Amino acid sequence: MNTSGAPVRGQGLRLTPFRGLRYVPEQVGSLASVTSPPYDVVVRPDGLHHLESSDPHNIVRLILPQGGSPAERHRQAARTLTQWLTEGVLAQDPLPALYVYEQRTGDSLQRGVIGALALSPASEGVVLPHEDVMPDVVEDRADLMRTTAAHLEPLLFSYEGDGGPTGATAVIERVVERSALFATVTEDGVRHRLWAVTDPAEHAEIDSDLSWRQALIADGHHRWATYLRLQREQDAPGPWDFGLVLLVDTARHPLRVRAIHRLLHRLPVPDALRALDGLFRVRSVDGPLSLALHSLAEAAAEGNAFLLAGDGRFHLVDRPDEHLLERTVRGDRPAAWRALDATVLHSTLLDGIWGIPDSPDHIAYIHDTEAAIEQAERHGATAVLMHPVREETVRALARQGVTMPRKSTSFGPKPATGLVLRSLETG
């Protein structure tokens, strides 16, 4: 590492080709019908059932298998994966490849490269995490990966390229002029295309470019922590030393950053508001949702702000008492971390005022704003709607080795799950 904290050439990212597992188009209804969002985005039972019924081979049967216990669910996923390979529903590509992946919707375009990334701890400064993780989630994902011996979905990483005439992004721009392995449109209107890059010269060009770059974990902290945990269990070098990722040059294709909202199962809105009296400014703001979110954005530009919903109205919560923040927020972290909405939410509101444990029984993390409100209204709960943090803030904290409260951000577009898998036995 150099004194700036960025890797020197040869000590940065190392992305290696692998023989991908992919659906055989003739064996499924359509490639769109077998894909899924990442496992942690499929949060509602109706979403899970919708994916399961869209095609009997939908990838959700592997990433979120059903069963009476976690161990049985994971064994079921392994049996399903073996069955699909035996039946020819999934097949392994003949040559090791890096995969160029494109997502396009309207004017939005994102391109990146999928490969097996050499694992490295955060202390090396090559892969930068920015959020904390929950041990029970890591344990669940670890048992699933261990049992299936496969990486079932790529993580989303971003790095900053320099726009040069050679390198990873240059290879991507050349490759997309060729015939794709497939093109499909998922029900959300996103068009997906995938290409296999098998030329060793292009592999070397990508490797040379990435060998002195850092990557930010945009989406997949729990799965990256799982990769590292499973690597530590091995006795010798091997496929567990690498993890399946999608790398996106954020200088070429800036990621979209959205907030992840909180659903407080056991806290009705009136109780939540009553506890805030005299500690925050609380105002009712007009709907519809788009207008209420605009009010949240205006307040967030001046300081910490949250939008509470669940009783048929919107309540803007901002301007926390400074003495309250001094008592509840850790003083041994950078000012940028202390000022995060997620920090104030967890340290001041959840811990200090409402006394809510950060456990699934009490809190759900929901990406979709309307879904968070709908569930809060249905169950008499409180939805805490968040304003997204800027990517520059996330990256600056990550480079300082400072992690944000978990589920602080939602980067996207996220890669569809099911387009390419990695076997740890034959890949």
Side-chain angles (χ1 to χ4, degrees), residues 176-237:
V176 297
E177 298 300 321
R178 305 169 189 168
S179 296
L181 292 172
F182 65 78
T184 189
V185 180
T186 45
E187 64 179 7
D188 56 4
V190 178
R191 184 171 188 254
H192 307 262
R193 293 198 293 172
L194 191 77
W195 294 260
V197 181
T198 58
D199 184 348
E202 291 183 322
H203 293 169
E205 184 176 347
I206 292 171
D207 182 67
S208 177
D209 178 28
L210 296 179
S211 68
W212 57 284
R213 302 198 187 278
Q214 295 173 311
L216 178 73
I217 302 178
D219 185 67
H221 282 82
H222 287 90
R223 285 166 287 167
W224 181 255
T226 300
Y227 290 167
L228 293 172
R229 172 173 176 164
L230 294 175
Q231 181 191 39
R232 292 193 295 268
E233 296 178 0
Q234 310 309 309
D235 296 326

Side-chain angles (χ1 to χ4, degrees), residues 9 13 17 23 85 98 113 154 239 246 301 356:
R9 186 177 296 276
L13 303 169
Y23 281 100
L85 288 168
L98 298 174
V113 58
L246 165 66
I356 297 177

Side-chain angles (χ1 to χ4, degrees), residues 13 15 38-41 101-103 109-115 117 127-131 152-159 214-224 227 243-250 253-258 367 391 394-395 409-417:
L13 303 169
L15 195 68
Y39 81 99
D40 57 341
V41 179
Y101 175 47
E102 176 188 276
Q103 296 160 276
L109 172 66
Q110 179 170 286
R111 290 171 177 156
V113 58
I114 296 174
L117 184 68
V127 173
L128 305 175
H130 69 268
E131 288 185 358
L152 303 173
E153 46 187 341
L155 286 57
L156 176 61
F157 282 22
S158 72
Y159 71 97
Q214 295 173 311
L216 178 73
I217 302 178
D219 185 67
H221 282 82
H222 287 90
R223 285 166 287 167
W224 181 255
Y227 290 167
L244 184 62
V245 305
L246 165 66
L247 279 172
V248 174
D249 178 358
T250 195
H253 300 286
L255 297 180
R256 181 180 65 234
V257 187
R258 291 180 174 173
H367 293 72
E391 181 181 356
V394 176
R395 193 178 296 275
T409 61
S410 176
F411 282 89
K414 302 179 191 299
T417 299

